[in-house]
Amino acid sequence: HSVTYDIDQKYKTPYHSRYLSFLKQAQEKNVIVAAAMTDPKGDRSKGPSAQDDPDLFTHVVERRPDGVVIRGAKAHQTGCVNSHWIVVMPTMRLQEADRDYAIVAAIPVTDKGLTFIYGRQSCDTRALENAGSDIDQGNAKYSGQEALIVIDDVFVPWDRVFMDGEVDFAAPLVDAFTTYHRRSYVCKTGVGDVLIGAAAAIAEMNGVAKASHVRDKLVEMAHLNETIYGAGIASSHESRPTRAGNFINDDVLANVCKHNVTRFPFKLARLAQDLAGGLVATLPSQHDFASDETGPILKRLLRGRSRNDTEARVRMLRLIENMTMGRNAVGYLTESLHGAGSPQAQRIQIERALKLEEKKGFAKTLAGVKE
C-alpha cells in the first residue's frame, strides 16, 4: 500500500518507493540483510502493549520530523553478526492498542544503539581447548551462530521506515514472511544429505555396510529427507504471482514442509546415532589421541575395519556427534523445531486452509448423501 506522511514534504514518500529504493541499493551492493522478526515476547498470554515491560516487543518510542526512535530486542537471530543490515518487523498479529509495535525498519548492524549478545551452544568450549586442532570441533570448516539483538533507542530516518502504525498489515506481513521462510527450510535436506553420508561412511568403516538392517536404515533416512524436499519443491511449483509482479509460494505446502522439518531431522539424527554406535558419545578427546602415553593405545583399539582408518573414523564420529548432539545440532535439530515458528504455528496455518466444507462436499457427493 502507499500510505504517505504529512510530517515533512522531504519525507512524504510512499512506503513502496522507500522499500524499492532500499532493495535496489541492497542488490547493487550485494549486502546481507537479516530479517529480525522474533521478539523475546515475555508473557505469551498477553499481547505486546499488555506486557509489564514494553521492551519485550520492539516498538516506537518517539516520532520525529526526520524519523523514528525504536527500542526493544530481537531474539535467536541467526547470522546477524555477519550481516550488513537488520530489518526489524512485527512477530505476530497486532491490535489497535499495539500501534507502536507495528514497525518495519532497516538498521545498519554498525549502529551504536545495537548490542549483539552472542548465544552459547553445547560443546562450544571444547572447540577452543586445543589451539590448532580441528577433530574435536566435529565440523572443521563451518559453524552457525545466533545472537540476541538489543535495540536501545535506535534512530531510523523515514527513508528506511517501511511500516509505522498500520496494525492491520501486521498479520498479512507475518503470513507472507513465514510462507517464504517455512518453504526455505527445505535447506535442512542439504544437512540431511551430509548426515546420511556420514552414517553410510561410519557403517562402512565399522564393516557393517552390507547388513540388511543398515541398508534399510539408510533408505529410511533418504525417505524422510526427500519427503521434506518434495514438500518444499511443491510449494515453489505452486507459486502464484502477486499484483506487484513477484511470486509467492503456496502457503499450505510451505507449512507442510516446515512441519516435516520439525519432526524428520530428529528421526534422521536417531538413525545416524544408531549406525554410529556408542562411541559417538564416549569418544576421547584429540588431546588423548595426541598423547604419547594414550595415543598409541587409542589408535590401535579404536580402529574400524581398516588398520589405518582410526583418525578417519574418529573424524566421522565427531561430525555425527556435532550434527546430532553438539554445536551444529542447535542449527539442525533445535532450530529445525523452532525456527520460522514452532510446530503449533504451522498446524494453525494448515488448519486455516483445511477447506473442510469443500472436502465434506466431495465425500457427500460420492456417498450419495443429500443435504
Side-chain angles (χ1 to χ4, degrees), residues 169-222:
F169 290 93
L173 173 65
V174 172
D175 289 345
F177 178 85
T178 54
T179 295
Y180 284 124
H181 194 19
R182 288 170 186 169
R183 181 264 178 260
S184 77
Y185 268 70
V186 77
C187 68
K188 297 299 180 184
T189 58
V191 184
D193 282 340
V194 174
L195 190 57
I196 293 169
I202 200 65
E204 185 175 3
M205 292 175 185
N206 290 343
V208 296
K210 295 182 180 181
S212 61
H213 74 93
V214 171
R215 299 200 308 271
D216 187 61
K217 287 168 184 173
L218 291 172
V219 168
E220 177 64 9
M221 293 178 77

Side-chain angles (χ1 to χ4, degrees), residues 250-261:
D250 184 85
D251 58 337
V252 176
L253 290 169
N255 279 278
V256 170
C257 174
K258 176 56 179 60
H259 203 49
N260 286 340
V261 170

Side-chain angles (χ1 to χ4, degrees), residues 2-19 63-68 155-164:
S2 304
V3 177
T4 58
Y5 286 93
D6 285 320
I7 297 176
D8 187 313
Q9 187 64 35
K10 179 180 179 182
Y11 295 99
K12 191 175 180 181
T13 308
Y15 280 132
H16 71 269
S17 297
R18 304 179 203 173
Y19 169 73
R63 291 177 178 84
R64 302 174 182 173
D66 53 348
V68 297
F155 171 75
V156 183
W158 286 122
D159 61 353
R160 288 195 269 108
V161 175
F162 313 128
M163 175 189 283
D164 177 27

Side-chain angles (χ1 to χ4, degrees), residues 34 77-86 109 116 145-149:
Q77 296 303 302
T78 303
C80 61
V81 297
N82 57 353
S83 297
H84 298 93
W85 289 85
I86 305 296
V109 296
F116 298 84
Q145 43 74 28
E146 287 76 31
L148 172 70
I149 306 175

Side-chain angles (χ1 to χ4, degrees), residues 258-275:
K258 176 56 179 60
H259 203 49
N260 286 340
V261 170
T262 68
R263 299 177 176 186
F264 296 169
F266 289 88
K267 295 182 179 181
L268 284 160
R270 182 183 66 81
L271 290 166
Q273 290 183 6
D274 183 358
L275 294 175

